Amino acid sequence: MAASSTYSIVEYFGGEDGYKCGYCKNENGNFSHGMWSHALTVQDYQDLIDRGWRRSGKYIYKPIMNQTCCPQYTIRCDSTNFQPSKPQKKILKKMSKYLCKGELPKSPSDGELMDSLCEDAGSCDAPATCRSEVSVSVEGPVETVKSAGPEKKTGREQTAPPKPGLGADPSRPPCRKAKEVRKERKLQKELQKQSGREAGSASIPQTEAARPPPPSKTIEELIAESLPADAVYKLEFRRFLCDSPLEPENPSDGPDCGYGSFHQQYCLNGKIIAVGVIDILPACVSSVYLYYDPDYSGMCLGVYSALRELAFTRQLHEKAPRLRYYYMGFYIHSCPKMRYKGQYRPSDLLCPETYVWVPIERCLPKLDLTRYSRFNETPEAVDVSRVKELGKVLVLHKRTVMPYLLYARKRTGPSDEETVLQYAGLVGQQCAERMLLYRA
Protein backbone atom coordinates (compact mmCIF):
# COMPACT_ATOMS: atom_id res chain seq x y z
CA MET A 1 0.00 0.00 0.00
CA ALA A 2 1.33 3.41 -0.85
CA ALA A 3 2.48 5.54 2.06
CA SER A 4 -0.05 8.08 3.23
CA SER A 5 0.69 11.79 3.05
CA THR A 6 -1.42 12.52 6.15
CA TYR A 7 -0.26 12.50 9.74
CA SER A 8 -1.54 10.70 12.83
CA ILE A 9 -2.03 12.98 15.82
CA VAL A 10 -2.63 11.40 19.25
CA GLU A 11 -2.68 12.66 22.82
CA TYR A 12 -1.44 10.27 25.50
CA PHE A 13 -3.50 10.13 28.71
CA GLY A 14 -1.50 7.70 30.86
CA GLY A 15 -2.37 4.40 32.50
CA GLU A 16 -1.10 4.39 36.05
CA ASP A 17 -4.41 4.58 37.93
CA GLY A 18 -6.87 1.71 38.14
CA TYR A 19 -10.59 2.13 37.49
CA LYS A 20 -13.76 0.05 37.67
CA CYS A 21 -13.87 -3.07 35.51
CA GLY A 22 -16.95 -3.49 33.36
CA TYR A 23 -16.64 -7.30 33.42
CA CYS A 24 -15.95 -8.41 37.00
CA LYS A 25 -17.06 -5.08 38.58
CA ASN A 26 -13.78 -4.71 40.48
CA GLU A 27 -13.76 -1.08 41.66
CA ASN A 28 -10.12 -0.34 40.76
CA GLY A 29 -8.80 -3.49 39.07
CA ASN A 30 -8.79 -2.35 35.43
CA PHE A 31 -5.50 -0.90 34.19
CA SER A 32 -4.84 0.30 30.66
CA HIS A 33 -2.90 2.85 28.64
CA GLY A 34 -5.06 5.34 26.81
CA MET A 35 -4.77 8.14 24.29
CA TRP A 36 -7.09 10.38 22.30
CA SER A 37 -6.68 10.18 18.53
CA HIS A 38 -7.23 13.48 16.76
CA ALA A 39 -6.27 11.88 13.44
CA LEU A 40 -5.06 8.36 12.62
CA THR A 41 -3.94 6.70 9.41
CA VAL A 42 -5.28 3.23 8.68
CA GLN A 43 -1.77 1.74 8.61
CA ASP A 44 -0.91 3.26 12.00
CA TYR A 45 -4.08 1.80 13.50
CA GLN A 46 -3.33 -1.58 11.89
CA ASP A 47 0.06 -1.47 13.64
CA LEU A 48 -1.60 -0.52 16.92
CA ILE A 49 -4.21 -3.29 17.01
CA ASP A 50 -1.47 -5.78 16.16
CA ARG A 51 0.17 -4.62 19.40
CA GLY A 52 -2.94 -5.06 21.55
CA TRP A 53 -4.55 -1.61 21.20
CA ARG A 54 -8.24 -1.04 20.46
CA ARG A 55 -10.39 2.00 19.72
CA SER A 56 -13.70 3.04 21.22
CA GLY A 57 -14.77 6.06 19.22
CA LYS A 58 -11.70 8.30 19.11
CA TYR A 59 -10.29 6.93 22.36
CA ILE A 60 -7.61 4.25 21.88
CA TYR A 61 -6.59 2.03 24.79
CA LYS A 62 -4.41 -0.95 25.58
CA PRO A 63 -4.96 -3.13 28.69
CA ILE A 64 -1.94 -3.61 30.93
CA MET A 65 -2.23 -7.35 30.65
CA ASN A 66 -0.17 -8.49 33.66
CA GLN A 67 -1.93 -6.03 36.00
CA THR A 68 -5.56 -5.76 34.93
CA CYS A 69 -8.14 -7.96 36.65
CA CYS A 70 -9.64 -9.25 33.35
CA PRO A 71 -6.91 -9.63 30.70
CA GLN A 72 -8.22 -8.83 27.22
CA TYR A 73 -6.52 -10.69 24.38
CA THR A 74 -6.78 -9.50 20.79
CA ILE A 75 -8.50 -12.16 18.69
CA ARG A 76 -8.68 -12.57 14.93
CA CYS A 77 -10.35 -15.09 12.62
CA ASP A 78 -8.91 -16.21 9.29
CA SER A 79 -11.85 -15.52 6.99
CA THR A 80 -10.34 -17.43 4.06
CA ASN A 81 -10.48 -20.72 5.99
CA PHE A 82 -13.62 -20.03 8.01
CA GLN A 83 -16.38 -22.63 7.96
CA PRO A 84 -19.59 -21.91 9.91
CA SER A 85 -20.40 -24.29 12.74
CA LYS A 86 -23.72 -26.10 13.03
CA PRO A 87 -25.19 -23.56 15.52
CA GLN A 88 -24.12 -20.69 13.24
CA LYS A 89 -25.77 -22.37 10.26
CA LYS A 90 -28.99 -22.64 12.26
CA ILE A 91 -28.98 -18.89 12.84
CA LEU A 92 -28.57 -18.23 9.11
CA LYS A 93 -31.44 -20.63 8.38
CA LYS A 94 -33.52 -18.92 11.05
CA MET A 95 -33.08 -15.60 9.25
CA SER A 96 -34.05 -17.19 5.91
CA LYS A 97 -37.14 -18.72 7.51
CA TYR A 98 -38.13 -15.36 8.92
CA LEU A 99 -37.69 -13.62 5.57
CA CYS A 100 -39.80 -16.30 3.85
CA LYS A 101 -42.62 -16.73 6.35
CA GLY A 102 -42.37 -13.77 8.71
CA GLU A 103 -42.17 -15.96 11.83
CA LEU A 104 -40.25 -14.06 14.51
CA PRO A 105 -38.73 -16.14 17.35
CA LYS A 106 -39.90 -15.18 20.81
CA SER A 107 -36.49 -14.79 22.45
CA PRO A 108 -32.76 -15.08 21.68
CA SER A 109 -32.71 -18.35 23.65
CA ASP A 110 -33.96 -20.02 20.46
CA GLY A 111 -30.42 -19.66 19.10
CA GLU A 112 -28.06 -22.56 19.67
CA LEU A 113 -25.15 -20.27 20.52
CA MET A 114 -26.94 -19.21 23.69
CA ASP A 115 -26.55 -22.78 24.94
CA SER A 116 -22.81 -22.42 24.60
CA LEU A 117 -22.87 -19.28 26.70
CA CYS A 118 -24.83 -21.08 29.38
CA GLU A 119 -22.30 -23.91 29.35
CA ASP A 120 -19.48 -21.45 29.98
CA ALA A 121 -21.42 -19.85 32.81
CA GLY A 122 -22.16 -23.17 34.43
CA SER A 123 -19.11 -23.08 36.68
CA CYS A 124 -19.91 -19.65 38.10
CA ASP A 125 -22.84 -18.05 39.84
CA ALA A 126 -24.65 -17.15 36.63
CA PRO A 127 -27.97 -15.26 36.88
CA ALA A 128 -31.16 -17.15 36.36
CA THR A 129 -31.72 -15.46 33.00
CA CYS A 130 -28.59 -17.13 31.64
CA ARG A 131 -29.63 -20.64 32.53
CA SER A 132 -31.82 -22.79 30.29
CA GLU A 133 -33.95 -25.76 31.22
CA VAL A 134 -34.16 -28.54 28.65
CA SER A 135 -36.35 -31.61 28.87
CA VAL A 136 -35.98 -34.56 26.53
CA SER A 137 -37.76 -37.86 26.12
CA VAL A 138 -35.62 -40.79 25.03
CA GLU A 139 -37.01 -44.07 23.77
CA GLY A 140 -35.58 -47.28 25.14
CA PRO A 141 -34.55 -48.43 28.61
CA VAL A 142 -33.86 -45.82 31.26
CA GLU A 143 -30.77 -46.31 33.40
CA THR A 144 -31.03 -46.57 37.16
CA VAL A 145 -30.36 -43.28 38.95
CA LYS A 146 -28.06 -43.59 41.95
CA SER A 147 -28.94 -41.50 44.98
CA ALA A 148 -27.26 -40.74 48.27
CA GLY A 149 -29.93 -42.62 50.23
CA PRO A 150 -30.24 -46.37 50.75
CA GLU A 151 -33.03 -46.78 48.19
CA LYS A 152 -32.58 -46.89 44.43
CA LYS A 153 -35.34 -45.82 42.08
CA THR A 154 -35.61 -45.86 38.31
CA GLY A 155 -37.00 -43.13 36.12
CA ARG A 156 -40.10 -45.27 35.32
CA GLU A 157 -41.22 -45.64 38.92
CA GLN A 158 -44.30 -43.61 39.73
CA THR A 159 -44.58 -41.21 42.63
CA ALA A 160 -47.61 -39.64 44.22
CA PRO A 161 -48.72 -36.35 42.66
CA PRO A 162 -47.53 -33.33 44.64
CA LYS A 163 -49.94 -31.38 46.78
CA PRO A 164 -50.67 -27.80 45.71
CA GLY A 165 -48.26 -25.23 47.03
CA LEU A 166 -45.51 -27.66 48.08
CA GLY A 167 -42.94 -26.73 45.47
CA ALA A 168 -41.60 -28.45 42.34
CA ASP A 169 -43.03 -31.70 41.04
CA PRO A 170 -40.78 -34.48 42.42
CA SER A 171 -41.80 -36.80 39.58
CA ARG A 172 -40.01 -34.61 37.03
CA PRO A 173 -36.34 -35.35 36.31
CA PRO A 174 -33.82 -32.79 37.55
CA CYS A 175 -32.70 -30.07 35.15
CA ARG A 176 -29.57 -30.82 33.21
CA LYS A 177 -27.16 -28.75 31.20
CA ALA A 178 -27.84 -28.40 27.51
CA LYS A 179 -24.42 -29.93 26.80
CA GLU A 180 -25.37 -33.15 28.60
CA VAL A 181 -28.69 -33.31 26.73
CA ARG A 182 -26.95 -32.91 23.37
CA LYS A 183 -24.47 -35.66 24.22
CA GLU A 184 -27.34 -37.99 25.11
CA ARG A 185 -29.16 -37.19 21.87
CA LYS A 186 -26.02 -37.84 19.86
CA LEU A 187 -25.45 -41.18 21.59
CA GLN A 188 -29.03 -42.27 20.90
CA LYS A 189 -28.70 -41.31 17.22
CA GLU A 190 -25.48 -43.26 16.88
CA LEU A 191 -27.10 -46.34 18.45
CA GLN A 192 -30.11 -46.05 16.13
CA LYS A 193 -27.86 -45.67 13.07
CA GLN A 194 -25.77 -48.66 14.11
CA SER A 195 -28.82 -50.87 14.65
CA GLY A 196 -30.30 -49.72 11.33
CA ARG A 197 -27.09 -50.56 9.48
CA GLU A 198 -26.98 -54.02 11.04
CA ALA A 199 -30.62 -54.70 10.13
CA GLY A 200 -30.51 -53.41 6.58
CA SER A 201 -26.94 -53.90 5.48
CA ALA A 202 -27.93 -56.71 3.10
CA SER A 203 -30.43 -54.53 1.24
CA ILE A 204 -28.20 -51.45 0.85
CA PRO A 205 -26.18 -51.37 -2.39
CA GLN A 206 -22.44 -51.15 -1.90
CA THR A 207 -22.15 -48.03 -4.05
CA GLU A 208 -24.68 -46.12 -1.93
CA ALA A 209 -23.21 -47.30 1.36
CA ALA A 210 -19.77 -45.99 0.36
CA ARG A 211 -21.07 -42.69 -1.04
CA PRO A 212 -19.28 -39.73 0.63
CA PRO A 213 -21.31 -37.08 2.47
CA PRO A 214 -22.26 -33.95 0.51
CA PRO A 215 -19.73 -31.10 0.70
CA SER A 216 -20.32 -28.48 3.36
CA LYS A 217 -21.76 -25.20 2.10
CA THR A 218 -19.67 -22.06 2.34
CA ILE A 219 -20.87 -19.03 4.26
CA GLU A 220 -21.59 -17.24 0.98
CA GLU A 221 -23.78 -20.11 -0.19
CA LEU A 222 -25.69 -20.16 3.09
CA ILE A 223 -26.30 -16.41 3.00
CA ALA A 224 -27.20 -16.31 -0.70
CA GLU A 225 -29.63 -19.25 -0.66
CA SER A 226 -32.47 -18.34 -3.00
CA LEU A 227 -35.68 -17.03 -1.47
CA PRO A 228 -39.11 -17.46 -3.09
CA ALA A 229 -40.49 -14.56 -5.09
CA ASP A 230 -43.32 -14.12 -2.59
CA ALA A 231 -41.04 -13.82 0.46
CA VAL A 232 -42.65 -11.74 3.20
CA TYR A 233 -39.57 -9.60 3.92
CA LYS A 234 -36.57 -8.29 2.00
CA LEU A 235 -33.26 -7.69 3.79
CA GLU A 236 -30.87 -5.10 2.34
CA PHE A 237 -27.44 -3.75 3.30
CA ARG A 238 -26.07 -0.27 2.95
CA ARG A 239 -22.56 0.99 3.70
CA PHE A 240 -21.43 4.55 4.25
CA LEU A 241 -18.56 6.38 5.94
CA CYS A 242 -18.98 7.39 9.57
CA ASP A 243 -17.26 9.84 11.92
CA SER A 244 -14.01 8.29 13.07
CA PRO A 245 -10.38 9.26 13.77
CA LEU A 246 -9.30 7.07 10.83
CA GLU A 247 -8.34 9.00 7.72
CA PRO A 248 -10.09 7.40 4.69
CA GLU A 249 -7.80 6.17 1.93
CA ASN A 250 -8.56 4.67 -1.46
CA PRO A 251 -5.35 3.29 -3.03
CA SER A 252 -5.41 1.54 -6.39
CA ASP A 253 -4.41 -1.82 -4.86
CA GLY A 254 -7.04 -1.66 -2.12
CA PRO A 255 -10.71 -2.66 -2.01
CA ASP A 256 -13.22 -0.71 -4.09
CA CYS A 257 -14.75 0.91 -1.01
CA GLY A 258 -11.34 2.03 0.24
CA TYR A 259 -10.00 1.97 3.80
CA GLY A 260 -11.56 3.71 6.78
CA SER A 261 -14.56 3.43 9.13
CA PHE A 262 -17.99 2.45 7.86
CA HIS A 263 -21.54 1.97 9.08
CA GLN A 264 -23.38 -1.06 7.75
CA GLN A 265 -27.15 -0.71 7.85
CA TYR A 266 -29.39 -3.78 8.02
CA CYS A 267 -32.69 -2.69 6.43
CA LEU A 268 -35.80 -4.86 6.61
CA ASN A 269 -38.33 -3.70 4.00
CA GLY A 270 -36.83 -0.22 4.26
CA LYS A 271 -36.74 -0.14 8.08
CA ILE A 272 -33.34 -0.07 9.81
CA ILE A 273 -33.22 -2.90 12.36
CA ALA A 274 -29.46 -2.93 13.08
CA VAL A 275 -26.31 -0.92 12.40
CA GLY A 276 -22.79 -2.34 12.56
CA VAL A 277 -19.63 -0.23 12.78
CA ILE A 278 -16.50 -1.66 11.16
CA ASP A 279 -12.99 -0.47 10.35
CA ILE A 280 -11.55 -1.59 7.02
CA LEU A 281 -7.77 -1.70 7.43
CA PRO A 282 -4.90 -2.86 5.17
CA ALA A 283 -4.86 -6.39 6.63
CA CYS A 284 -8.27 -6.88 8.24
CA VAL A 285 -11.84 -5.88 8.88
CA SER A 286 -12.14 -4.85 12.52
CA SER A 287 -15.59 -5.10 14.10
CA VAL A 288 -16.18 -2.13 16.42
CA TYR A 289 -19.74 -2.64 17.69
CA LEU A 290 -23.34 -3.39 16.71
CA TYR A 291 -26.60 -1.87 17.92
CA TYR A 292 -30.03 -3.16 16.92
CA ASP A 293 -33.77 -2.86 17.46
CA PRO A 294 -34.67 -4.87 20.62
CA ASP A 295 -37.86 -6.08 18.92
CA TYR A 296 -35.62 -8.31 16.77
CA SER A 297 -33.46 -9.73 19.55
CA GLY A 298 -34.83 -13.19 18.82
CA MET A 299 -33.01 -13.19 15.48
CA CYS A 300 -29.55 -13.37 17.16
CA LEU A 301 -28.45 -10.35 15.14
CA GLY A 302 -25.07 -10.26 16.90
CA VAL A 303 -24.10 -13.64 15.49
CA TYR A 304 -25.78 -12.97 12.16
CA SER A 305 -23.93 -9.67 11.67
CA ALA A 306 -20.60 -11.32 12.56
CA LEU A 307 -21.19 -13.96 9.87
CA ARG A 308 -22.09 -11.27 7.34
CA GLU A 309 -18.94 -9.32 8.23
CA LEU A 310 -16.86 -12.48 7.81
CA ALA A 311 -18.34 -12.98 4.36
CA PHE A 312 -17.64 -9.32 3.59
CA THR A 313 -14.00 -9.81 4.62
CA ARG A 314 -13.70 -12.69 2.17
CA GLN A 315 -15.18 -10.48 -0.53
CA LEU A 316 -12.61 -7.73 0.11
CA HIS A 317 -9.82 -10.33 0.12
CA GLU A 318 -10.49 -11.08 -3.54
CA LYS A 319 -9.48 -7.51 -4.50
CA ALA A 320 -6.89 -6.91 -1.73
CA PRO A 321 -5.11 -10.24 -1.00
CA ARG A 322 -3.41 -8.87 2.13
CA LEU A 323 -6.81 -8.21 3.71
CA ARG A 324 -7.91 -11.62 5.01
CA TYR A 325 -8.52 -11.42 8.77
CA TYR A 326 -11.61 -10.54 10.77
CA TYR A 327 -10.78 -8.91 14.12
CA MET A 328 -13.45 -9.40 16.78
CA GLY A 329 -11.99 -7.13 19.43
CA PHE A 330 -10.91 -8.67 22.72
CA TYR A 331 -11.33 -12.25 23.91
CA ILE A 332 -11.77 -12.39 27.71
CA HIS A 333 -11.49 -15.95 28.96
CA SER A 334 -12.13 -14.98 32.59
CA CYS A 335 -15.55 -13.58 31.60
CA PRO A 336 -17.86 -16.44 30.47
CA LYS A 337 -20.12 -14.11 28.48
CA MET A 338 -17.16 -13.01 26.33
CA ARG A 339 -15.98 -16.50 25.37
CA TYR A 340 -18.38 -16.71 22.44
CA LYS A 341 -15.76 -15.08 20.19
CA GLY A 342 -13.70 -18.27 20.41
CA GLN A 343 -16.45 -20.14 18.52
CA TYR A 344 -15.40 -18.59 15.20
CA ARG A 345 -12.66 -20.85 13.86
CA PRO A 346 -9.89 -20.84 12.88
CA SER A 347 -8.92 -18.07 15.29
CA ASP A 348 -5.68 -16.80 16.84
CA LEU A 349 -4.89 -14.90 20.03
CA LEU A 350 -2.13 -12.31 20.26
CA CYS A 351 0.68 -13.20 22.67
CA PRO A 352 0.91 -10.28 25.13
CA GLU A 353 4.70 -10.57 25.45
CA THR A 354 6.06 -11.43 22.00
CA TYR A 355 3.18 -10.13 19.82
CA VAL A 356 2.94 -13.26 17.68
CA TRP A 357 -0.33 -14.91 16.76
CA VAL A 358 -1.00 -18.30 18.36
CA PRO A 359 -3.93 -20.66 17.49
CA ILE A 360 -6.61 -20.39 20.13
CA GLU A 361 -6.62 -24.17 20.69
CA ARG A 362 -3.10 -23.87 22.15
CA CYS A 363 -4.05 -20.88 24.29
CA LEU A 364 -7.19 -22.15 26.03
CA PRO A 365 -5.49 -24.78 28.25
CA LYS A 366 -3.18 -22.07 29.60
CA LEU A 367 -6.04 -19.65 30.22
CA ASP A 368 -7.91 -22.37 32.11
CA LEU A 369 -5.05 -22.36 34.62
CA THR A 370 -4.39 -18.62 34.92
CA ARG A 371 -6.00 -15.42 33.68
CA TYR A 372 -2.80 -13.96 32.31
CA SER A 373 -0.58 -16.13 30.16
CA ARG A 374 2.23 -15.89 27.65
CA PHE A 375 1.23 -17.94 24.60
CA ASN A 376 4.58 -18.18 22.83
CA GLU A 377 6.04 -21.49 24.03
CA THR A 378 9.65 -20.62 23.14
CA PRO A 379 11.20 -19.51 26.46
CA GLU A 380 13.94 -17.37 24.93
CA ALA A 381 11.60 -15.66 22.45
CA VAL A 382 11.31 -11.90 22.79
CA ASP A 383 9.64 -9.18 20.80
CA VAL A 384 11.89 -9.66 17.77
CA SER A 385 10.23 -6.77 15.94
CA ARG A 386 11.21 -4.25 18.60
CA VAL A 387 14.73 -3.72 17.21
CA LYS A 388 13.37 -3.13 13.72
CA GLU A 389 10.63 -0.85 15.00
CA LEU A 390 13.07 1.40 16.86
CA GLY A 391 14.06 2.76 13.47
CA LYS A 392 10.41 2.99 12.49
CA VAL A 393 9.59 4.98 15.60
CA LEU A 394 11.83 7.82 14.42
CA VAL A 395 9.82 7.86 11.20
CA LEU A 396 6.52 7.60 13.03
CA HIS A 397 7.50 10.58 15.14
CA LYS A 398 7.04 12.63 11.98
CA ARG A 399 3.51 11.33 11.44
CA THR A 400 2.43 9.99 14.84
CA VAL A 401 2.98 12.89 17.23
CA MET A 402 1.26 14.83 19.99
CA PRO A 403 -1.06 17.76 19.12
CA TYR A 404 2.02 20.01 19.41
CA LEU A 405 2.12 19.60 15.62
CA LEU A 406 -0.76 22.06 15.42
CA TYR A 407 1.09 24.41 17.74
CA ALA A 408 4.21 24.05 15.61
CA ARG A 409 2.32 25.10 12.50
CA LYS A 410 1.13 28.23 14.27
CA ARG A 411 4.66 29.06 15.36
CA THR A 412 6.41 28.40 12.04
CA GLY A 413 3.69 29.20 9.54
CA PRO A 414 1.84 26.89 7.11
CA SER A 415 4.45 27.23 4.34
CA ASP A 416 7.48 26.02 6.32
CA GLU A 417 6.47 22.34 6.42
CA GLU A 418 10.03 21.02 6.95
CA THR A 419 10.48 23.12 10.09
CA VAL A 420 7.11 21.88 11.33
CA LEU A 421 8.17 18.26 10.89
CA GLN A 422 11.50 18.84 12.60
CA TYR A 423 9.78 20.41 15.59
CA ALA A 424 7.17 17.65 15.66
CA GLY A 425 9.92 15.02 15.44
CA LEU A 426 11.66 16.43 18.51
CA VAL A 427 8.39 16.47 20.45
CA GLY A 428 7.60 12.94 19.33
CA GLN A 429 11.05 11.72 20.35
CA GLN A 430 10.60 13.18 23.82
CA CYS A 431 7.16 11.56 24.15
CA ALA A 432 8.04 8.14 22.70
CA GLU A 433 8.53 6.41 26.05
CA ARG A 434 5.27 7.84 27.39
CA MET A 435 3.16 6.94 24.38
CA LEU A 436 4.23 3.28 24.57
CA LEU A 437 3.07 2.63 21.01
CA TYR A 438 5.58 -0.18 20.55
CA ARG A 439 6.15 -1.49 24.05
CA ALA A 440 4.31 -4.05 26.13
Side-chain angles (χ1 to χ4, degrees):
M1 188 182 72
S4 173
S5 60
T6 59
Y7 302 94
S8 295
I9 305 175
V10 297
E11 182 179 359
Y12 181 67
F13 283 166
E16 292 76 20
D17 300 329
Y19 54 96
K20 185 175 181 179
C21 176
Y23 302 103
C24 68
K25 309 305 179 183
N26 189 321
E27 289 296 331
N28 58 352
N30 197 338
F31 292 86
S32 66
H33 299 291
M35 57 187 179
W36 187 263
S37 54
H38 297 269
L40 197 62
T41 65
V42 291
Q43 184 58 57
D44 283 351
Y45 186 51
Q46 179 73 67
D47 294 338
L48 286 172
I49 63 175
D50 285 336
R51 307 288 296 193
W53 293 78
R54 186 74 178 167
R55 84 171 181 93
S56 177
K58 293 188 176 182
Y59 182 72
I60 305 178
Y61 62 100
K62 175 183 180 181
I64 304 177
M65 301 290 284
N66 57 354
Q67 296 183 27
T68 189
C69 53
C70 296
Q72 304 167 47
Y73 300 90
T74 302
I75 183 173
R76 72 178 187 182
C77 177
D78 185 355
S79 68
T80 59
N81 294 316
F82 172 77
Q83 284 292 338
S85 64
K86 186 176 180 180
Q88 293 164 350
K89 291 179 181 178
K90 287 185 177 181
I91 290 179
L92 293 176
K93 292 179 179 179
K94 180 195 297 185
M95 176 62 77
S96 298
K97 182 178 180 181
Y98 172 66
L99 296 177
C100 291
K101 301 181 180 180
E103 298 177 1
L104 187 66
K106 296 181 180 179
S107 67
S109 60
D110 294 338
E112 279 294 318
L113 289 183
M114 294 301 295
D115 291 339
S116 300
L117 295 181
C118 291
E119 289 173 24
D120 293 333
S123 58
C124 65
D125 296 329
T129 55
C130 186
R131 301 194 182 103
S132 60
E133 297 183 1
V134 181
S135 60
V136 60
S137 59
V138 181
E139 297 181 0
V142 179
E143 296 181 358
T144 302
V145 180
K146 296 183 180 180
S147 62
E151 297 182 359
K152 296 182 179 180
K153 298 181 179 181
T154 64
R156 293 186 179 276
E157 293 182 6
Q158 302 293 328
T159 58
K163 296 181 180 180
L166 295 182
D169 187 352
S171 63
R172 293 185 60 184
C175 296
R176 295 178 296 169
K177 291 184 178 180
K179 183 177 182 180
E180 297 175 356
V181 175
R182 289 198 298 269
K183 286 184 177 179
E184 188 172 347
R185 288 175 179 169
K186 185 176 180 180
L187 178 60
Q188 290 293 329
K189 289 181 179 179
E190 290 295 331
L191 293 175
Q192 292 176 1
K193 288 181 180 179
Q194 184 176 0
S195 60
R197 285 195 297 266
E198 294 176 354
S201 58
S203 59
I204 298 178
Q206 183 66 22
T207 55
E208 182 157 342
R211 182 179 301 170
S216 178
K217 293 184 179 179
T218 65
I219 185 173
E220 290 86 357
E221 292 173 337
L222 291 170
I223 292 177
E225 283 184 337
S226 59
L227 296 174
D230 58 346
V232 177
Y233 294 115
K234 181 181 180 181
L235 188 65
E236 298 176 320
F237 296 90
R238 303 172 184 169
R239 285 186 290 274
F240 57 93
L241 282 168
C242 62
D243 186 24
S244 164
L246 297 184
E247 299 291 336
E249 299 179 21
N250 199 350
S252 58
D253 58 347
D256 294 335
C257 59
Y259 299 110
S261 298
F262 294 82
H263 279 157
Q264 287 189 312
Q265 291 181 343
Y266 295 74
C267 300
L268 189 65
N269 281 12
K271 175 187 176 182
I272 298 177
I273 63 172
V275 177
V277 180
I278 61 172
D279 293 333
I280 302 179
L281 304 177
C284 72
V285 169
S286 176
S287 178
V288 183
Y289 55 83
L290 172 86
Y291 51 94
Y292 57 87
D293 188 335
D295 292 340
Y296 296 88
S297 58
M299 300 304 300
C300 299
L301 290 176
V303 178
Y304 182 77
S305 65
L307 296 174
R308 291 298 301 242
E309 290 170 359
L310 267 163
F312 181 54
T313 305
R314 292 160 64 107
Q315 177 184 342
L316 298 179
H317 172 72
E318 296 178 359
K319 177 67 184 300
R322 183 186 171 195
L323 200 165
R324 62 179 293 176
Y325 292 103
Y326 176 62
Y327 282 53
M328 296 171 282
F330 288 133
Y331 174 83
I332 308 175
H333 193 73
S334 57
C335 180
K337 291 185 179 180
M338 296 299 292
R339 295 184 184 178
Y340 72 93
K341 297 181 181 181
Q343 298 175 354
Y344 296 83
R345 304 289 179 91
S347 291
D348 305 313
L349 296 184
L350 186 66
C351 177
E353 297 183 10
T354 60
Y355 299 110
V356 297
W357 295 99
V358 181
I360 192 172
E361 294 83 359
R362 288 166 46 190
C363 304
L364 295 182
K366 296 183 178 182
L367 294 178
D368 287 336
L369 299 177
T370 176
R371 293 188 174 188
Y372 173 76
S373 177
R374 168 195 169 110
F375 301 141
N376 194 326
E377 298 176 353
T378 306
E380 64 275 11
V382 295
D383 183 7
V384 294
S385 59
R386 179 174 299 176
V387 177
K388 297 179 181 179
E389 287 171 349
L390 288 178
K392 188 178 180 182
V393 168
L394 298 178
V395 177
L396 284 176
H397 286 161
K398 294 183 179 180
R399 59 190 181 98
T400 308
V401 296
M402 304 290 281
Y404 292 109
L405 180 59
L406 301 177
Y407 174 74
R409 282 202 172 95
K410 293 181 181 179
R411 291 289 300 270
T412 60
S415 60
D416 193 357
E417 188 70 17
E418 184 63 28
T419 305
V420 171
L421 292 180
Q422 289 178 2
Y423 180 86
L426 291 175
V427 174
Q429 188 173 2
Q430 294 170 1
C431 300
E433 294 299 325
R434 294 182 58 207
M435 290 170 65
L436 300 173
L437 291 180
Y438 291 93
R439 295 188 180 275

